[in-house]
């Protein structure tokens, strides 16, 4: 990305790092080769941060090694810097290159969605499972980015729906996955164990924890009435006119995500209780206070997403992308 920035600075006569000015100038607009190289430099940097397949391999290890607070910050804020760069820098500054690359980005997004869900289903480590679910959920962000990059098969309205859904998905992912990592930390602090096969029957033992976990998992799998549904549905609805087959195949990820999250709830909350957790205590007031605002946001955005979608839509229009 730094090389691309320096290339723009020294080869366009811009002599500025102001993103608004660069977006107005459209660097390398007359030279698709140089524009594509600059786009690629930015794109790879942001794709690693998102993370988009095949640049995702650092994320599960980072989450597993990080403390709970580190995982929450990583999922809730740091991953969104990659998405921010895609929407804030690439689309306004390199619209032609983004349009040419959009289909290939959509294919990578599809792989992220399906592959992330399938690999998450194979995990026994609770934290690694949530980490791979992040690859799946950020794939929807990139599918919305691809659909909004100016594909001629989609109308301006379709592009706006996809872009608004993608940005909302970033917000929802931060809230939902941040809550899930907090919930992993809550149970790990008590059991010193993240192996899903060693849980079981905790729904009766720690009912408050079970309630919070159930809402977060249902929001993550996209249950209507909760935040995840609104953003994922918007991305799929906006992307279908541009990439019908890619969007249809992305539904595999929706089904697999529902499967592994429901299976996770079953392994943790249901079945025979593990005798070694006989003296397990439920969530305390500090943990309830920490998680309640996140759960409230999942419900409020799921039922009434209008205000946040208006805010996102206004920003998208100011940036001059979408319809």
């Amino acid at each position: 990305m730094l090389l691309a920035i320096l290339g723009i600075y020294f080869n366009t006569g811009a002599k500025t790092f102001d993103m608004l000015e660069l977006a107005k100038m459209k660097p390398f607009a007359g030279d698709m080769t140089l524009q594509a190289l600059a786009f690629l430099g930015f794109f790879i940097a942001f794709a690693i941060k998102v993370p988009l397949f095949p640049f995702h391999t650092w994320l599960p290890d980072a989450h597993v090694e990080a403390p709970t607070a580190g995982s929450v910050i990583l999922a809730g804020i740091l991953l969104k810097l990659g998405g921010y760069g895609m929407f804030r820098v690439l689309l306004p500054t390199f619209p032609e290159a983004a349009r040419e690359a959009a289909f290939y980005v959509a294919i990578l997004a599809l792989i992220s969605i399906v592959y992330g869900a399938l690999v998450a289903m194979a995990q026994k480590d609770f934290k690694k499972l949530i980490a791979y679910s992040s690859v799946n959920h950020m794939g929807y962000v990139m599918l919305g980015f691809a659909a909004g990059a100016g594909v001629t098969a989609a109308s301006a309205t379709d592009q706006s729906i996809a872009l608004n859904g993608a940005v909302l998905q970033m917000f929802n992912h931060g809230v939902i996955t941040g809550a899930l990592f907090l919930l992993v930390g809550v149970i790990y602090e008590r059991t010193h164990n993240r192996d899903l096969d060693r849980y079981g029957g905790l729904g009766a033992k720690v009912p408050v924890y079970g309630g919070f976990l159930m809402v977060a998992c249902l929001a993550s799998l996209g249950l209507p009435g909760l935040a995840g549904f609104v953003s994922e549905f918007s991305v799929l609805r906006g992307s279908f006119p541009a990439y019908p087959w890619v969007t249809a195949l992305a539904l595999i990820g929706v089904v697999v995500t529902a499967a592994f999250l429901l299976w996770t709830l079953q392994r943790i909350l249901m079945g025979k209780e593990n005798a070694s957790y006989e003296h397990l205590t439920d969530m305390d007031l500090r943990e309830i206070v920490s998680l309640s605002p996140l759960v409230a946001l999942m419900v409020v955005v799921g039922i009434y997403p209008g205000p946040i979608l208006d805010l996102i839509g206004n920003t998208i229009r100011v940036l001059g992308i979408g319809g």
Side-chain angles (χ1 to χ4, degrees):
M1 183 166 62
L2 178 60
L3 291 175
I5 292 171
L6 293 175
I8 293 170
Y9 186 85
F10 288 113
N11 291 283
T12 63
K15 301 302 180 185
T16 180
F17 297 118
D18 188 317
M19 289 189 292
L20 291 175
E21 289 300 318
L22 290 174
K24 291 176 184 177
M25 292 178 61
K26 301 291 188 291
F28 305 125
D31 190 330
M32 278 304 299
T33 301
L34 289 177
Q35 186 180 156
L37 288 173
F39 173 89
L40 191 62
F42 280 99
F43 177 79
I44 292 174
F46 294 139
I48 292 170
K49 198 66 180 173
V50 166
L52 179 69
F53 178 90
F55 307 106
H56 68 284
T57 52
W58 64 271
L59 182 67
D61 291 334
H63 273 306
V64 169
E65 296 298 327
T68 297
S71 292
V72 173
I73 293 171
L74 180 60
I77 299 174
L78 297 183
L79 299 189
K80 307 307 173 292
L81 294 177
Y84 172 86
M86 295 285 185
F87 291 97
R88 183 67 181 79
V89 178
L90 286 185
L91 281 184
T93 310
F94 307 109
E96 294 87 359
R99 187 178 300 115
E100 294 297 322
F103 175 73
Y104 304 102
V105 175
I107 295 297
L108 293 179
L110 171 64
I111 296 171
S112 292
I113 292 168
V114 177
Y115 170 81
L118 289 172
V119 177
M121 178 172 268
Q123 302 306 312
K124 293 184 178 181
D125 185 309
F126 193 7
K127 206 172 192 184
K128 189 168 279 191
L129 180 146
I130 303 302
Y132 274 108
S133 78
S134 289
V135 177
N136 163 268
H137 286 114
M138 293 304 290
Y140 293 106
V141 175
M142 295 311 302
L143 181 59
F145 168 86
V151 183
T152 54
S155 69
T157 301
D158 296 326
Q159 292 174 30
S160 292
I161 293 172
L163 289 169
N164 290 349
V167 177
L168 181 60
Q169 175 72 353
M170 288 197 288
F171 174 82
N172 288 340
H173 175 265
V175 170
I176 296 168
T177 306
L180 284 169
F181 278 122
L182 280 173
L183 289 163
V184 174
V186 167
I187 200 68
Y188 181 76
E189 186 180 12
R190 288 160 170 76
T191 64
H192 303 290
N193 164 54
R194 293 196 303 263
D195 188 345
L196 292 169
D197 291 338
R198 293 176 60 186
Y199 293 132
L202 297 185
K205 194 70 181 173
V206 285
V208 176
Y209 176 82
F212 275 93
L213 181 63
M214 185 170 293
V215 173
C217 285
L218 293 177
S220 185
L221 65 82
L223 184 74
L226 295 172
F229 171 78
V230 181
S231 52
E232 290 182 15
F233 182 82
S234 297
V235 168
L236 294 171
R237 160 63 184 84
S239 302
F240 186 78
Y243 306 114
W245 287 108
V246 172
T247 306
L249 290 172
L251 293 174
I252 297 171
V254 175
V255 175
V256 177
T257 299
F260 77 72
L261 285 170
L262 291 174
W263 189 28
T264 299
L265 287 174
Q266 181 187 35
R267 285 182 285 177
I268 295 174
L269 303 179
M270 302 173 190
K272 185 178 179 181
E273 184 180 332
N274 189 327
S276 61
Y277 301 147
E278 183 178 348
H279 302 293
L280 205 65
T281 58
D282 210 341
M283 292 172 62
D284 58 32
L285 181 61
R286 171 180 58 90
E287 293 161 341
I288 293 172
V289 169
S290 299
L291 278 157
S292 292
L294 299 177
V295 172
L297 278 171
M298 296 176 207
V299 176
V300 170
V301 175
I303 295 173
Y304 186 52
I308 189 169
L309 281 173
D310 289 341
L311 178 65
I312 292 169
N314 290 336
T315 304
I316 293 292
R317 282 189 288 272
V318 168
L319 292 177
I321 55 180

